[in-house]
Amino acid sequence: EFSSPNGGKFKLMDDMWQLVLSPAGGEARRWDKVGAKDGPSARSGHRMVIAGDKLVVYGGMGESKYFQDLHVFHLPTSRWTSKAAMVTQRQNGGGPAQAPGPRAGFAMWPDGTEGLFLYGGTREKGRGTETLADLWRLDLTTFLWERIPDKGVPPGLVSGVGVGVAGRSALLFGGVTDEPVGGGKTKPRFNAEVSEFNMDTRTWTKPVPAAGKGAGPSTRRNAQCTVIGTDLLVMGGLREEGGDKEREVTLDDLWALDVASIADGALGAWRCVQPLSGAGTQWFESDDDSDGVEG
């Protein structure tokens, strides 16, 4: 999604790109546009994960509605398949099919077998939105959704949370919750908490990082997270600053958290890999306002 600083203009995208890391002939790394047909419509706030030889896309938000469709991109054939009708029409235990429903900004991760998990996000409610705190698993062989009961200490109501997988643990970081402030208005509350979901016991915990030289990353939403080796890496995201005249700023810092002992419920200390730069708190507008559409 392209968005102007005040949110007055935005444009949704429906293209997909592939980064070629090792081109033939020793060429430089490059981006190639994937020209597959019948993919998801233009949207933002959706999530995509890789599971085996599939890329799985769910949900998101269009210009006037939230989506609950499911699309699968088969990597060997470079073909899209829509699973929306299959998912919504399935019968579970003889009753109506269960499904997470329309939403955006949720966390989604593969379970290492033939499924994926989905948590939280935001959906439309009345004239506004509501933040969610439900957990689901999708079986990618039957395309049946299963609602997972709360067990342990879940993250709570949250949207825009990042996630990385270490072994059988999913590690969720950050996010935002809209809190009521009276008069029917809400105020966003950002966090920098780490939650762990054990995919074998299906139990939530909130491990506390060990004390280190720094306090760790600031509160934020939409940070990008991944696990490399024994580190959970957290890059960038968004937060609001400015007191009464709050404005949303984009972050460019990079943090690492030692998760080598997460199976025992322990975390190491945060360490800063790349500090926040001055450019990381500035908006950069397009030189051509025609790139956006009125929102």
Side-chain angles (χ1 to χ4, degrees), residues 37 52 57 70 125 139 149 151 161 189 196 203-204 247 278 281 288:
K37 298 179 180 180
V57 176
L70 180 78
K125 183 179 182 181
D139 186 317
K151 185 179 179 182
V161 62
R189 179 179 64 82
E196 183 255 349
T203 302
W204 289 101
R247 67 188 188 98
T281 59
D288 182 4

Side-chain angles (χ1 to χ4, degrees), residues 32-285:
D32 290 342
K33 186 174 183 179
V34 179
K37 298 179 180 180
D38 302 320
S41 59
R43 65 190 63 201
S44 67
H46 53 294
R47 296 294 183 261
M48 179 171 72
V49 301
I50 186 168
D53 61 359
K54 307 177 186 70
L55 292 177
V56 184
V57 176
Y58 183 80
M61 182 175 63
E63 292 187 13
S64 59
K65 68 175 184 177
Y66 287 80
F67 294 111
Q68 59 178 334
D69 50 353
L70 180 78
H71 299 265
V72 176
F73 184 76
H74 190 229
L75 292 168
T77 61
S78 295
R79 292 180 180 273
W80 283 105
T81 303
S82 173
K83 299 293 184 180
M86 179 183 292
V87 171
T88 56
Q89 293 174 7
R90 285 279 190 178
Q91 296 294 302
N92 190 355
Q98 297 188 86
R103 66 183 66 200
F106 47 90
M108 193 166 78
W109 64 93
D111 71 356
T113 58
E114 290 290 338
L116 60 82
F117 287 97
L118 180 154
Y119 184 82
T122 302
R123 69 182 176 194
E124 186 176 17
K125 183 179 182 181
R127 296 183 178 180
T129 60
E130 66 173 343
T131 310
L132 303 167
D134 49 347
L135 176 66
W136 297 80
R137 181 185 182 273
L138 176 67
D139 186 317
L140 291 172
T141 61
T142 63
F143 290 95
L144 281 173
W145 285 101
E146 175 191 3
R147 174 71 165 87
I148 309 299
D150 290 339
K151 185 179 179 182
V153 186
L157 299 169
V158 69
S159 180
V161 62
V163 60
V165 176
R168 299 300 295 157
S169 293
L171 298 161
L172 280 65
F173 169 81
V176 63
T177 300
D178 285 333
E179 295 187 332
V181 293
K185 297 181 179 181
T186 61
K187 180 181 178 66
R189 179 179 64 82
F190 296 80
N191 77 75
E193 295 179 343
V194 177
S195 294
E196 183 255 349
F197 178 72
N198 185 297
M199 290 182 277
D200 291 328
T201 64
R202 296 187 172 185
T203 302
W204 289 101
T205 62
K206 284 197 175 183
V208 179
K213 295 182 180 179
S218 61
T219 60
R220 64 192 66 195
R221 68 176 174 89
N222 290 355
Q224 295 301 301
C225 300
T226 191
V227 173
I228 297 180
T230 59
D231 284 335
L232 170 68
L233 299 179
V234 174
M235 169 67 192
L238 301 168
R239 73 178 182 215
E240 290 187 357
E241 296 180 344
D244 293 336
K245 296 183 178 180
E246 291 181 342
R247 67 188 188 98
E248 200 170 68
V249 296
T250 305
L251 309 173
D252 64 356
D253 49 346
L254 175 64
W255 292 81
L257 178 65
D258 184 354
V259 298
S261 299
I262 189 60
D264 299 320
L267 294 175
W270 284 107
R271 65 182 188 278
C272 183
V273 179
Q274 173 182 294
L276 184 68
S277 72
T281 59
Q282 299 177 16
W283 272 103
F284 293 94
E285 295 192 65

